[in-house]
Amino acid sequence: MIKKFIFFALLICLLLTTIFASNVDMLVTNTAPSLWVKFSTPEYIDVVNVTSCNFDEMLAAITLQGAYNQLQTATRIYTIQPLEDSVFWLNNAIPKNISVNWLNNLSSSGGLETLGLLLRQFGRYIRGAIVYDPKNIATINVATTMAGIDDAMVISPSLKSYAESFGIKILADLSSYHWKTDIDAYEWAVKNLLPETNTKMLIMLEPNIYG
């Protein structure tokens, strides 16, 4: 009876030691898998009304927002659309110690002018732009993945010259890859982009829906 008690006590101690050691190792090496990106708290939020933007302008604005925000400076961009929902969260979810600044008014200006406002103020901080191929709408998903890896925005060919006028470097033009089908584009992405991404989670987005 005593031998069994000693055996189980040693077994429990061994298990506890193993668990404790693994937790210590996780803390020391910081190898714990993280599903969500941990952002620092900003001091300022610059709000931009993008309701007047068309599809390509909205895609460019939102991906510029993502590229800039993941740099985690003291300022974050918040593009809003639709107004009612966004203003509600601005008024009720932002801590009072964070300063909120509207870069344009509630009525908003033209879409291209709004994108220009963002490019003028934040474009110099990102690495560049990925151009998607309008002939293969799936390249929007490939482009957004590349943009997330490279701190870049996603633009259409029609906005290429406009973005370059603000000093935005074109990092890749996906029309040059000549993918004939969605599957071709996604197979390339799995082979070339998946190793550089978080494989703990897979999200499939409808490329026709920006944001």
Side-chain angles (χ1 to χ4, degrees):
M1 184 69 179
I2 295 177
K3 289 182 178 180
K4 285 184 178 181
F5 176 81
I6 294 174
F7 172 79
F8 283 114
L10 290 173
L11 181 61
I12 291 171
C13 288
L14 179 63
L15 288 172
L16 290 174
T17 302
T18 303
I19 294 171
F20 177 78
S22 64
N23 287 338
V24 169
D25 182 63
M26 187 179 293
L27 289 172
V28 172
T29 61
N30 196 28
T31 56
S34 178
L35 189 59
W36 305 109
V37 177
K38 294 180 175 63
F39 284 99
S40 60
T41 302
E43 297 176 27
Y44 311 95
I45 293 179
D46 285 347
V47 183
V48 182
N49 178 7
V50 293
T51 52
S52 62
C53 292
N54 62 28
F55 178 87
D56 285 336
E57 294 160 351
M58 186 78 75
L59 178 65
I62 290 174
T63 52
L64 172 57
Q65 170 186 262
Y68 177 80
N69 284 352
Q70 71 178 5
L71 299 176
Q72 300 199 49
T73 66
T75 301
R76 301 286 195 277
I77 308 170
Y78 181 46
T79 55
I80 63 168
Q81 203 264 347
L83 280 174
E84 293 78 10
D85 293 344
S86 300
V87 171
F88 172 82
W89 289 113
L90 272 175
N91 292 334
N92 293 277
I94 305 299
K96 299 302 181 183
N97 61 325
I98 297 177
S99 177
V100 176
N101 174 43
W102 285 80
L103 297 187
N104 57 356
N105 56 40
L106 284 172
S107 60
S108 186
S109 50
L112 197 61
E113 185 180 341
T114 299
L115 178 59
L117 180 92
L118 285 166
L119 286 168
R120 191 175 300 108
Q121 187 146 340
F122 304 104
R124 65 185 180 274
Y125 296 104
I126 68 172
R127 290 187 57 202
I130 312 294
V131 183
Y132 79 87
D133 182 3
K135 295 179 181 178
N136 187 339
I137 201 68
T139 58
I140 290 180
N141 281 341
V142 178
T144 52
T145 303
M146 295 175 71
I149 295 169
D150 294 328
D151 294 333
M153 63 189 295
V154 178
I155 60 175
S156 67
S158 63
L159 290 174
K160 184 177 177 180
S161 296
Y162 187 71
E164 287 178 318
S165 71
F166 288 90
I168 301 297
K169 180 181 178 181
I170 304 302
L171 303 180
D173 188 338
L174 299 189
S175 62
S176 65
Y177 288 73
H178 304 294
W179 295 313
K180 295 181 179 179
T181 66
D182 294 1
I183 294 176
D184 292 338
Y186 290 136
E187 284 182 343
W188 181 92
V190 167
K191 181 180 179 181
N192 294 278
L193 304 180
L194 190 62
E196 300 184 62
T197 61
N198 185 345
T199 58
K200 301 293 181 184
M201 178 172 56
L202 177 65
I203 299 176
M204 181 62 185
L205 299 176
E206 168 54 53
N208 285 304
I209 302 175
Y210 45 74

